[in-house]
Amino acid sequence: MTDVVDSDELLRRMHRARACAMEQERTWRTRSEELRPTDPEGSREAAVRTIAYEAVLRVLDEVLTPGRNAQ
């Protein structure tokens, strides 16, 4: 059964998701840079994951602060 959550809880969850995505983006970016000299394939895979987390962050930023990053 699914729980009903209020808007404040939903907002808290989205902020936690954003914080998690930021941490993962940093982790994968660092890993990509570390692997570049010794494991080009692993570095590329980590770079792809970095890009995926960047996309997640852009979406969450737009949901949490609409129009803030307008281009």
Side-chain angles (χ1 to χ4, degrees):
M1 188 165 149
T2 58
D3 293 328
V4 176
V5 296
D6 63 13
S7 60
D8 289 336
E9 177 61 18
L10 183 58
L11 191 58
R12 281 190 292 275
R13 290 179 185 190
M14 286 190 288
H15 279 287
R16 282 195 309 267
R18 185 180 182 285
C20 178
M22 285 179 68
E23 181 63 31
Q24 288 296 313
E25 186 267 340
R26 281 191 297 265
T27 298
W28 286 107
R29 182 179 309 283
T30 300
R31 184 162 174 77
S32 175
E33 292 167 0
E34 289 172 351
L35 290 174
R36 193 171 295 134
T38 58
D39 184 3
E41 183 64 31
S43 178
R44 278 190 294 277
E45 182 179 332
V48 168
R49 291 175 187 255
T50 300
I51 292 168
Y53 279 105
E54 287 172 350
V56 169
L57 282 168
R58 281 193 302 273
V59 170
L60 287 170
D61 282 343
E62 183 60 27
V63 169
L64 293 168
T65 54
R68 180 174 163 208
N69 295 322
Q71 296 175 2

